[in-house]
Amino acid sequence: MDIPKDSSVFISVGADDKRGNQAIRASKTEVRKPWTYIEVNESPMVVSLRRFHDFMEDPETFAQQMIRWIEQEADDVNAFVKGLK
């Protein structure tokens, strides 16, 4: 994964136990754009990034914009989590 050159916000799916981490690693080949599999400090996760600037064009509605983005990605997140082995 390329680290964004611009400031970014992201949604991530990760785990906090060994079994969850193993499930995410086992499913990494199933990850499709706009999602990317990464590991940070040996913690696997799947992330989706958006340019921060796009969200900050109207700071008064930042939270609502984030909620809309999360809702747009909900089906992908649910499908990925359902498929974890």
Side-chain angles (χ1 to χ4, degrees), residues 6 17 22 25 31 38 44 51 53 56 58 64-65 71 76-77 81:
D6 298 322
D17 61 16
Q22 288 173 338
R25 280 190 186 100
V31 177
I38 64 170
R51 286 184 55 230
H53 178 74
M56 292 304 291
D58 183 5
Q64 291 85 4
Q65 290 174 346
E71 288 172 346
D76 287 342
V77 171
V81 171

Side-chain angles (χ1 to χ4, degrees), residues 1-84:
M1 173 179 143
D2 292 329
I3 302 297
K5 292 179 175 62
D6 298 322
S7 298
S8 299
V9 293
F10 66 95
I11 299 172
S12 69
V13 177
D16 60 2
D17 61 16
K18 186 175 181 176
R19 184 172 182 226
N21 286 335
Q22 288 173 338
I24 292 173
R25 280 190 186 100
S27 298
K28 69 182 177 183
T29 59
E30 305 300 317
V31 177
R32 301 288 180 262
K33 288 193 180 256
W35 295 89
T36 302
Y37 174 85
I38 64 170
E39 288 204 30
V40 177
N41 299 327
E42 299 182 25
S43 295
M45 64 186 77
V46 178
V47 300
S48 180
L49 296 162
R50 297 283 174 104
R51 286 184 55 230
F52 192 65
H53 178 74
D54 293 342
F55 285 87
M56 292 304 291
E57 288 175 356
D58 183 5
E60 297 300 317
T61 62
F62 177 78
Q64 291 85 4
Q65 290 174 346
M66 286 295 297
I67 290 167
R68 280 193 296 276
W69 179 37
I70 291 166
E71 288 172 346
Q72 289 171 356
E73 302 290 346
D75 289 343
D76 287 342
V77 171
N78 290 337
F80 178 77
V81 171
K82 184 177 182 181
L84 292 176

